[in-house]
Amino acid sequence: MVAQEPEGTTMHTGDDTDSLERATRDFIAARPRLFGIAYRVLGSSAEAEDVLQETWLRWQNTDRSDIHEPTAFLTTITTRLAINVAQSARVRRESYVGPWLPEPVDTGQDPQLGAERAEALELAVLLLLEKLNPLERGAYVLREAFGYPYKQIADILETGEANTRQLVSRARKHLAAERKEPVSPAEHRRLLEVFLAAAQKGELAVLEKVLAADVVSYADGGGIRGASKIPVVGRDHVSKYLTAFAPRFWPPARTRWVEANGRPAVLVSVGENAVALLSVDVSADGIDRIMWMMNPDKLSAYVASLSD
């Protein structure tokens, strides 16, 4: 699928300053939504920003005189571009060193990240969406996070309405099969606090209590030393793994509570440098997923965006 502008548009050749000013205002007004769509489809704020830059260039060079709904037009371009990037990203991520995790974003200022609902925003959900094909991801994001009607999603994706419903249904079933019902924000925070204290002290018994039987620990290091290159699976393995590296990892470190993708998280620093962002996915069974973001590029971008 190659991104195209919606039909009926031509290149803009006029030098109309007022028109460009209106175009800029329209783009700025739509930008939070456009970023929210691209980020959810791609799981990367850097790639989402690249998509928005390309959307802006195309918007500048479009004859806007017949466009009565700029946000709808911009949404179409952004979604199609994001799906194209997601298709090429799948190939790149196959050669990624170690587990790939979504790039975290600070949701302190925008808890829903441009959407009507904060759906498809948690890191665990973005990780699962990565397993879907890009069209399924795009359809799910537009429907669940932004509430678009199926007919409009079908137009954006250049497919039929019945197929669009199937795309969303497959995505929902995949998430339901792979993820248990999450707990309340208060319980999420409580279990993360207990987990952090036990991990720091290497308390095996406490870790075994808070971890689900099928827990998985992912460390996205982007190839740096110190990050496990394969996921650690199962309560027994994960608790022993955390206990073993506790004496080396935690003594020089300091922690700061932050928010990432709408959930509490812990930023771990040594000296002036952030070395990890710890986040978890929690259900009634305990902690199901532990996600350690240690990739310096993804981590530094997140730290730079943190709200003071």
Side-chain angles (χ1 to χ4, degrees), residues 140-221:
Y140 180 84
V141 164
L142 290 173
R143 180 65 184 171
E144 297 300 309
F146 294 87
Y148 280 97
Y150 284 108
K151 175 67 171 66
Q152 191 172 355
I153 298 171
D155 291 342
I156 291 171
L157 300 183
E158 298 176 294
T159 186
E161 188 173 341
N163 187 44
T164 299
R165 289 180 182 275
Q166 289 181 343
L167 292 171
V168 174
S169 177
R170 284 202 297 268
R172 284 175 178 156
K173 287 176 182 175
H174 173 75
L175 288 176
E178 295 282 335
R179 190 183 189 219
K180 303 164 197 167
E181 185 70 25
V183 297
S184 69
E187 179 64 3
H188 185 111
R189 167 86 183 218
R190 186 191 72 80
L191 268 179
L192 181 52
E193 287 174 346
V194 173
F195 170 82
L196 176 63
Q200 288 173 316
K201 296 170 187 172
E203 294 178 332
L204 185 65
V206 179
L207 288 170
E208 289 175 337
K209 272 186 186 174
V210 298
L211 298 178
D214 55 355
V215 63
V216 184
S217 177
Y218 303 90
D220 181 339

XYZ file of all heavy atoms in Angstrom, residues 140-221:
643
model
N -7.780 -0.695 14.036
C -8.056 -0.782 15.483
C -7.840 0.571 16.156
O -8.660 1.021 16.963
C -7.140 -1.829 16.117
C -7.354 -1.989 17.602
C -8.354 -2.807 18.106
C -6.545 -1.313 18.510
C -8.560 -2.948 19.468
C -6.731 -1.445 19.880
C -7.742 -2.265 20.348
O -7.933 -2.384 21.694
N -6.747 1.234 15.821
C -6.433 2.530 16.430
C -7.513 3.559 16.096
O -8.003 4.276 16.985
C -5.041 3.019 15.957
C -4.849 4.506 16.254
C -3.946 2.193 16.622
N -7.894 3.646 14.840
C -8.902 4.635 14.441
C -10.247 4.366 15.109
O -10.947 5.303 15.502
C -9.065 4.626 12.917
C -7.882 5.174 12.111
C -8.102 4.943 10.624
C -7.650 6.652 12.392
N -10.581 3.101 15.263
C -11.880 2.757 15.856
C -11.863 2.883 17.384
O -12.738 3.532 17.975
C -12.257 1.324 15.458
C -13.591 0.849 16.028
C -14.743 1.640 15.466
N -16.014 1.260 16.078
C -17.142 1.916 15.876
N -17.178 2.969 15.071
N -18.256 1.533 16.459
N -10.886 2.258 18.037
C -10.910 2.147 19.490
C -10.426 3.405 20.204
O -10.946 3.755 21.262
C -10.069 0.939 19.934
C -10.597 -0.389 19.437
C -12.015 -0.665 19.917
O -12.278 -0.549 21.128
O -12.873 -0.983 19.070
N -9.421 4.064 19.671
C -8.890 5.253 20.340
C -9.584 6.534 19.887
O -9.788 7.447 20.689
C -7.385 5.368 20.094
N -9.975 6.583 18.621
C -10.480 7.842 18.071
C -11.960 7.797 17.699
O -12.531 8.816 17.315
C -9.634 8.267 16.866
C -8.217 8.600 17.259
C -7.251 7.614 17.326
C -7.859 9.891 17.605
C -5.955 7.908 17.716
C -6.572 10.202 17.996
C -5.622 9.208 18.059
N -12.568 6.634 17.801
C -14.006 6.521 17.610
C -14.497 6.790 16.207
O -15.656 7.177 16.005
N -13.657 6.577 15.195
C -14.104 6.816 13.818
C -15.136 5.773 13.414
O -15.011 4.598 13.762
C -12.919 6.751 12.851
C -12.087 8.014 12.820
C -10.917 8.117 13.572
C -12.474 9.109 12.044
C -10.154 9.272 13.561
C -11.717 10.261 12.017
C -10.564 10.345 12.778
O -9.812 11.488 12.764
N -16.173 6.170 12.661
C -17.132 5.189 12.142
C -16.458 4.276 11.123
O -15.496 4.668 10.456
C -18.216 6.059 11.493
C -17.595 7.388 11.263
C -16.514 7.557 12.278
N -16.991 3.059 10.993
C -16.364 2.077 10.112
C -16.284 2.570 8.668
O -15.301 2.298 7.970
C -17.142 0.760 10.167
C -16.890 -0.029 11.433
C -17.866 -0.126 12.427
C -15.676 -0.684 11.633
C -17.626 -0.844 13.591
C -15.437 -1.404 12.789
C -16.415 -1.483 13.768
O -16.169 -2.188 14.921
N -17.316 3.289 8.228
C -17.309 3.780 6.839
C -16.128 4.713 6.599
O -15.446 4.624 5.560
C -18.630 4.509 6.548
C -18.701 5.168 5.165
C -18.704 4.110 4.062
C -19.003 4.704 2.696
N -17.950 5.603 2.218
N -15.875 5.604 7.532
C -14.754 6.538 7.361
C -13.417 5.812 7.423
O -12.491 6.124 6.667
C -14.810 7.636 8.432
C -13.828 8.781 8.153
C -14.015 9.947 9.093
O -14.936 9.972 9.909
N -13.133 10.931 8.994
N -13.308 4.832 8.324
C -12.066 4.051 8.404
C -11.833 3.311 7.090
O -10.710 3.258 6.578
C -12.120 3.056 9.579
C -12.262 3.786 10.915
C -10.851 2.188 9.608
C -12.536 2.882 12.096
N -12.911 2.763 6.527
C -12.801 2.044 5.249
C -12.285 2.970 4.151
O -11.437 2.581 3.335
C -14.162 1.466 4.859
N -12.783 4.205 4.128
C -12.313 5.177 3.132
C -10.838 5.500 3.326
O -10.066 5.582 2.364
C -13.144 6.458 3.211
C -14.586 6.264 2.747
O -14.847 5.249 2.059
O -15.438 7.107 3.089
N -10.451 5.684 4.582
C -9.052 6.012 4.879
C -8.127 4.872 4.458
O -7.064 5.093 3.868
C -8.874 6.314 6.390
C -9.572 7.633 6.745
C -7.398 6.372 6.764
C -9.642 7.915 8.247
N -8.550 3.640 4.738
C -7.708 2.472 4.452
C -7.884 1.953 3.030
O -7.224 0.989 2.631
C -8.022 1.344 5.444
C -7.804 1.655 6.925
C -8.087 0.425 7.770
C -6.392 2.157 7.184
N -8.802 2.573 2.290
C -9.066 2.174 0.905
C -9.478 0.699 0.822
O -8.942 -0.090 0.045
C -7.848 2.443 0.017
C -7.476 3.924 -0.041
C -6.218 4.175 -0.843
O -5.146 3.739 -0.419
O -6.327 4.826 -1.906
N -10.449 0.349 1.652
C -10.978 -1.003 1.661
C -12.483 -0.942 1.892
O -13.046 0.151 2.023
C -10.282 -1.851 2.744
O -10.717 -3.212 2.637
C -10.592 -1.344 4.145
N -13.142 -2.089 1.939
C -14.582 -2.102 2.156
C -14.931 -2.022 3.632
O -14.119 -2.328 4.505
N -16.176 -1.628 3.889
C -16.611 -1.501 5.285
C -16.634 -2.857 5.989
O -16.256 -2.967 7.157
C -17.991 -0.843 5.340
C -18.427 -0.490 6.753
C -19.713 0.322 6.785
O -20.077 0.910 5.741
O -20.341 0.356 7.855
N -17.072 -3.907 5.276
C -17.113 -5.246 5.888
C -15.701 -5.704 6.259
O -15.480 -6.271 7.341
C -17.761 -6.243 4.930
N -14.754 -5.449 5.367
C -13.365 -5.826 5.660
C -12.821 -5.031 6.841
O -12.072 -5.560 7.665
C -12.486 -5.604 4.424
C -11.078 -6.146 4.619
O -10.893 -7.248 5.129
N -10.089 -5.361 4.247
N -13.219 -3.767 6.921
C -12.769 -2.929 8.040
C -13.263 -3.500 9.368
O -12.511 -3.564 10.353
C -13.293 -1.490 7.874
O -12.761 -0.948 6.666
C -12.885 -0.616 9.039
N -14.505 -3.928 9.394
C -15.045 -4.540 10.620
C -14.265 -5.798 10.984
O -14.005 -6.064 12.167
C -16.534 -4.866 10.426
C -17.422 -3.637 10.370
C -18.883 -4.004 10.175
N -19.726 -2.820 10.081
C -20.233 -2.165 11.119
N -19.998 -2.617 12.347
N -20.976 -1.097 10.937
N -13.883 -6.566 9.984
C -13.100 -7.778 10.240
C -11.713 -7.433 10.786
O -11.210 -8.113 11.681
C -12.964 -8.601 8.955
C -14.260 -9.277 8.515
C -14.073 -10.108 7.254
O -13.092 -9.944 6.537
N -15.021 -10.991 6.982
N -11.105 -6.387 10.241
C -9.779 -5.961 10.720
C -9.829 -5.594 12.205
O -8.978 -6.012 12.996
C -9.285 -4.761 9.902
C -8.928 -5.002 8.435
C -8.685 -3.678 7.719
C -7.706 -5.900 8.313
N -10.841 -4.807 12.573
C -10.980 -4.383 13.976
C -11.293 -5.587 14.860
O -10.734 -5.738 15.952
C -12.078 -3.311 14.110
C -12.315 -2.973 15.587
C -11.686 -2.052 13.335
N -12.162 -6.471 14.379
C -12.535 -7.651 15.156
C -11.332 -8.552 15.408
O -11.135 -9.045 16.535
C -13.623 -8.439 14.416
O -13.948 -9.620 15.101
N -10.493 -8.762 14.383
C -9.297 -9.602 14.564
C -8.347 -8.986 15.576
O -7.750 -9.686 16.395
C -8.588 -9.802 13.215
C -9.271 -10.800 12.306
C -8.311 -11.374 11.271
N -7.802 -10.355 10.356
C -8.379 -10.061 9.190
N -9.480 -10.686 8.813
N -7.848 -9.141 8.413
N -8.198 -7.663 15.516
C -7.319 -6.983 16.463
C -7.840 -7.135 17.890
O -7.079 -7.418 18.822
C -7.194 -5.507 16.094
N -9.138 -6.949 18.074
C -9.730 -7.090 19.409
C -9.522 -8.503 19.949
O -9.174 -8.692 21.124
C -11.229 -6.789 19.349
C -11.580 -5.318 19.237
C -13.077 -5.182 19.070
N -13.525 -3.787 19.004
C -14.637 -3.394 18.424
N -15.433 -4.296 17.838
N -14.979 -2.123 18.415
N -9.766 -9.509 19.103
C -9.617 -10.898 19.536
C -8.170 -11.200 19.914
O -7.906 -11.918 20.887
C -10.089 -11.847 18.427
C -11.598 -11.879 18.264
C -12.007 -12.761 17.094
C -13.528 -12.745 16.904
N -13.935 -13.501 15.700
N -7.234 -10.663 19.145
C -5.818 -10.883 19.448
C -5.464 -10.308 20.815
O -4.820 -10.982 21.631
C -4.958 -10.237 18.366
C -3.491 -10.256 18.680
N -2.717 -11.392 18.592
C -2.659 -9.273 19.124
C -1.474 -11.108 18.950
N -1.416 -9.826 19.271
N -5.905 -9.086 21.068
C -5.597 -8.450 22.353
C -6.264 -9.198 23.499
O -5.664 -9.397 24.564
C -6.046 -6.992 22.341
C -5.207 -6.042 21.490
C -5.827 -4.648 21.483
C -3.769 -5.967 21.971
N -7.510 -9.626 23.295
C -8.229 -10.349 24.347
C -7.562 -11.676 24.666
O -7.537 -12.116 25.827
C -9.679 -10.576 23.922
N -7.007 -12.327 23.647
C -6.349 -13.616 23.858
C -4.988 -13.467 24.518
O -4.542 -14.357 25.255
C -6.196 -14.336 22.517
N -4.331 -12.349 24.265
C -2.956 -12.169 24.735
C -2.837 -11.399 26.051
O -1.802 -11.440 26.699
C -2.143 -11.423 23.663
C -1.957 -12.183 22.364
C -0.888 -13.249 22.469
O 0.007 -13.100 23.315
O -0.965 -14.229 21.705
N -3.893 -10.694 26.421
C -3.781 -9.822 27.594
C -4.963 -10.005 28.527
O -6.114 -10.000 28.106
C -3.706 -8.352 27.149
C -3.345 -7.411 28.281
C -3.364 -5.969 27.822
N -2.813 -5.095 28.832
C -3.292 -3.896 29.132
N -4.341 -3.421 28.485
N -2.726 -3.163 30.065
N -4.664 -10.146 29.820
C -5.729 -10.269 30.820
C -6.269 -8.887 31.174
O -5.653 -7.866 30.867
C -5.187 -10.951 32.077
C -4.572 -12.325 31.819
C -3.717 -12.749 32.998
C -2.793 -13.887 32.612
N -1.753 -14.113 33.617
N -7.409 -8.870 31.845
C -8.035 -7.610 32.245
C -7.114 -6.857 33.198
O -6.698 -7.382 34.234
C -9.365 -7.900 32.945
C -10.165 -6.661 33.295
C -10.739 -5.970 32.061
O -10.928 -6.641 31.025
O -10.987 -4.755 32.151
N -6.743 -5.606 32.873
C -5.833 -4.865 33.753
C -6.522 -4.432 35.044
O -7.735 -4.320 35.113
C -5.432 -3.650 32.908
C -6.523 -3.485 31.911
C -7.078 -4.851 31.647
N -5.707 -4.181 36.066
C -6.223 -3.738 37.361
C -6.390 -2.218 37.354
O -6.042 -1.535 36.391
C -5.270 -4.157 38.505
C -5.182 -5.668 38.586
C -3.882 -3.537 38.313
N -6.911 -1.686 38.447
C -7.099 -0.241 38.582
C -5.750 0.464 38.652
O -4.731 -0.148 39.018
C -7.885 0.069 39.860
O -7.084 -0.230 41.003
N -5.705 1.758 38.331
C -4.443 2.511 38.444
C -3.829 2.441 39.847
O -2.604 2.333 39.985
C -4.860 3.937 38.076
C -6.041 3.767 37.176
C -6.775 2.569 37.709
N -4.673 2.483 40.892
C -4.152 2.440 42.268
C -3.493 1.098 42.558
O -2.401 1.035 43.170
C -5.281 2.705 43.256
N -4.126 0.012 42.130
C -3.554 -1.320 42.356
C -2.301 -1.514 41.508
O -1.328 -2.146 41.944
C -4.599 -2.388 42.030
C -4.123 -3.822 42.195
C -3.770 -4.211 43.624
O -3.944 -3.377 44.553
O -3.304 -5.350 43.828
N -2.307 -0.971 40.307
C -1.128 -1.016 39.426
C 0.069 -0.366 40.125
O 1.164 -0.952 40.201
C -1.456 -0.291 38.117
C -0.380 -0.370 37.089
N -0.516 -1.093 35.921
C 0.861 0.183 37.035
C 0.589 -0.983 35.202
N 1.435 -0.193 35.855
N -0.159 0.821 40.649
C 0.914 1.544 41.339
C 1.381 0.766 42.577
O 2.591 0.662 42.835
C 0.398 2.932 41.737
C 1.270 3.704 42.727
C 2.362 4.476 42.045
N 3.225 5.152 42.997
C 3.742 6.362 42.820
N 3.475 7.039 41.720
N 4.535 6.902 43.713
N 0.443 0.222 43.337
C 0.799 -0.505 44.558
C 1.694 -1.709 44.243
O 2.728 -1.917 44.891
C -0.464 -0.985 45.291
C -0.178 -1.626 46.652
C -1.392 -2.324 47.226
N -1.704 -3.559 46.514
C -1.067 -4.717 46.725
N -0.069 -4.795 47.583
N -1.427 -5.800 46.057
N 1.306 -2.479 43.239
C 2.099 -3.661 42.908
C 3.468 -3.289 42.341
O 4.460 -3.970 42.597
C 1.346 -4.546 41.911
C 0.468 -5.634 42.528
C -0.239 -6.433 41.451
C 1.270 -6.561 43.419
N 3.527 -2.203 41.577
C 4.813 -1.752 41.059
C 5.711 -1.303 42.205
O 6.928 -1.567 42.191
C 4.621 -0.622 40.044
C 5.892 -0.052 39.399
C 6.766 -1.144 38.799
C 5.528 0.983 38.331
N 5.147 -0.650 43.223
C 5.932 -0.235 44.394
C 6.496 -1.451 45.138
O 7.674 -1.480 45.501
C 5.070 0.600 45.342
C 4.771 1.997 44.838
C 3.799 2.751 45.739
O 3.147 2.092 46.603
O 3.677 3.972 45.579
N 5.638 -2.461 45.343
C 6.089 -3.688 46.025
C 7.169 -4.384 45.197
O 8.196 -4.832 45.721
C 4.898 -4.639 46.272
C 5.390 -5.981 46.824
C 3.893 -4.012 47.229
N 6.929 -4.461 43.880
C 7.891 -5.102 42.985
C 9.237 -4.379 43.015
O 10.297 -5.016 43.113
C 7.344 -5.113 41.557
C 8.352 -5.543 40.534
C 8.606 -6.884 40.316
C 9.059 -4.601 39.790
C 9.553 -7.293 39.380
C 9.999 -4.995 38.854
C 10.245 -6.346 38.647
N 9.207 -3.059 42.932
C 10.446 -2.281 42.911
C 11.255 -2.508 44.186
O 12.473 -2.752 44.128
C 10.128 -0.792 42.745
C 11.327 0.162 42.794
C 12.290 -0.113 41.651
C 10.852 1.618 42.754
N 10.586 -2.442 45.330
C 11.295 -2.640 46.605
C 11.904 -4.039 46.684
O 13.059 -4.212 47.111
C 10.335 -2.411 47.772
N 11.145 -5.045 46.251
C 11.649 -6.418 46.308
C 12.788 -6.627 45.317
O 13.766 -7.332 45.619
C 10.508 -7.392 46.010
N 12.681 -6.021 44.135
C 13.744 -6.154 43.136
C 15.030 -5.495 43.630
O 16.125 -6.041 43.455
C 13.295 -5.531 41.814
N 14.903 -4.333 44.247
C 16.080 -3.631 44.754
C 16.796 -4.424 45.833
O 18.027 -4.421 45.914
C 15.674 -2.252 45.293
C 15.294 -1.260 44.206
C 14.744 0.040 44.778
O 13.931 0.020 45.705
N 15.166 1.154 44.226
N 16.022 -5.097 46.677
C 16.602 -5.856 47.793
C 16.892 -7.313 47.430
O 17.481 -8.043 48.234
C 15.643 -5.824 48.990
C 15.419 -4.426 49.557
C 14.282 -4.435 50.565
C 13.930 -3.024 51.029
N 12.704 -2.995 51.858
N 16.464 -7.721 46.246
C 16.672 -9.111 45.858
C 15.863 -10.087 46.694
O 16.335 -11.183 47.009
N 14.638 -9.702 47.059
C 13.788 -10.544 47.919
C 13.010 -11.538 47.062
O 11.940 -11.238 46.536
C 12.843 -9.667 48.729
C 13.574 -8.774 49.735
C 12.634 -7.862 50.505
O 11.560 -7.504 49.954
O 12.966 -7.502 51.639
N 13.543 -12.727 46.941
C 12.982 -13.743 46.064
C 11.534 -14.082 46.417
O 10.675 -14.148 45.534
C 13.847 -15.008 46.128
C 13.468 -16.145 45.174
C 13.658 -15.722 43.731
C 14.289 -17.392 45.481
N 11.247 -14.269 47.704
C 9.900 -14.683 48.118
C 8.854 -13.634 47.765
O 7.744 -13.970 47.334
C 9.883 -14.970 49.616
N 9.193 -12.369 47.945
C 8.239 -11.295 47.635
C 8.024 -11.213 46.121
O 6.892 -11.045 45.656
C 8.729 -9.940 48.187
C 7.743 -8.831 47.835
C 8.922 -10.017 49.697
N 9.092 -11.334 45.367
C 8.964 -11.309 43.910
C 8.054 -12.433 43.425
O 7.195 -12.228 42.565
C 10.343 -11.431 43.256
C 11.249 -10.193 43.364
C 12.662 -10.530 42.911
C 10.689 -9.034 42.557
N 8.226 -13.615 43.989
C 7.406 -14.745 43.578
C 5.930 -14.506 43.887
O 5.044 -15.012 43.191
C 7.892 -16.022 44.262
C 9.232 -16.501 43.712
C 9.775 -17.699 44.467
O 9.390 -17.904 45.646
O 10.595 -18.423 43.875
N 5.661 -13.714 44.921
C 4.272 -13.418 45.293
C 3.598 -12.459 44.320
O 2.405 -12.575 44.033
C 4.217 -12.802 46.700
C 4.118 -13.794 47.818
C 3.918 -13.062 49.136
C 3.970 -14.071 50.286
N 3.930 -13.394 51.600
N 4.339 -11.476 43.829
C 3.705 -10.435 42.999
C 3.744 -10.753 41.505
O 3.049 -10.108 40.722
C 4.344 -9.044 43.241
C 4.143 -8.608 44.674
C 5.812 -9.026 42.859
N 4.546 -11.740 41.100
C 4.640 -12.077 39.681
C 3.597 -13.122 39.303
O 3.365 -14.083 40.035
C 6.033 -12.621 39.348
C 7.217 -11.665 39.566
C 8.522 -12.370 39.235
C 7.068 -10.397 38.752
N 2.954 -12.934 38.144
C 2.053 -13.953 37.616
C 2.868 -15.175 37.204
O 4.070 -15.074 36.909
C 1.283 -13.397 36.425
N 2.222 -16.326 37.151
C 2.939 -17.565 36.830
C 3.598 -17.495 35.449
O 4.699 -18.011 35.250
C 1.977 -18.747 36.900
N 2.938 -16.838 34.497
C 3.458 -16.777 33.131
C 4.084 -15.420 32.799
O 4.113 -14.998 31.652
C 2.347 -17.093 32.129
C 1.120 -16.183 32.307
O 1.101 -15.385 33.265
O 0.189 -16.271 31.475
N 4.595 -14.751 33.806
C 5.209 -13.428 33.612
C 6.341 -13.489 32.585
O 7.039 -14.502 32.467
C 5.738 -12.879 34.959
C 6.836 -13.761 35.523
C 6.242 -11.450 34.820
N 6.490 -12.394 31.831
C 7.596 -12.265 30.877
C 8.316 -10.952 31.143
O 7.671 -9.907 31.303
C 7.108 -12.284 29.411
C 8.299 -12.242 28.457
C 6.252 -13.507 29.138
N 9.637 -11.002 31.205
C 10.446 -9.793 31.383
C 11.169 -9.491 30.071
O 11.908 -10.336 29.554
C 11.462 -9.990 32.516
O 12.292 -8.848 32.650
N 10.926 -8.279 29.543
C 11.552 -7.840 28.293
C 12.534 -6.712 28.597
O 12.190 -5.776 29.326
C 10.515 -7.282 27.317
C 9.384 -8.202 26.955
C 8.208 -8.222 27.709
C 9.459 -9.018 25.834
C 7.143 -9.052 27.363
C 8.390 -9.852 25.478
C 7.245 -9.859 26.251
O 6.194 -10.670 25.911
N 13.708 -6.779 28.006
C 14.675 -5.689 28.133
C 15.066 -5.219 26.739
O 15.698 -5.959 25.984
C 15.908 -6.136 28.915
N 14.656 -4.005 26.386
C 15.002 -3.417 25.090
C 16.257 -2.574 25.281
O 16.211 -1.462 25.789
C 13.837 -2.554 24.593
C 14.115 -1.925 23.227
O 15.294 -1.810 22.848
O 13.149 -1.532 22.553
N 17.379 -3.150 24.871
C 18.647 -2.438 25.006
C 19.197 -1.955 23.685
O 20.223 -1.273 23.649
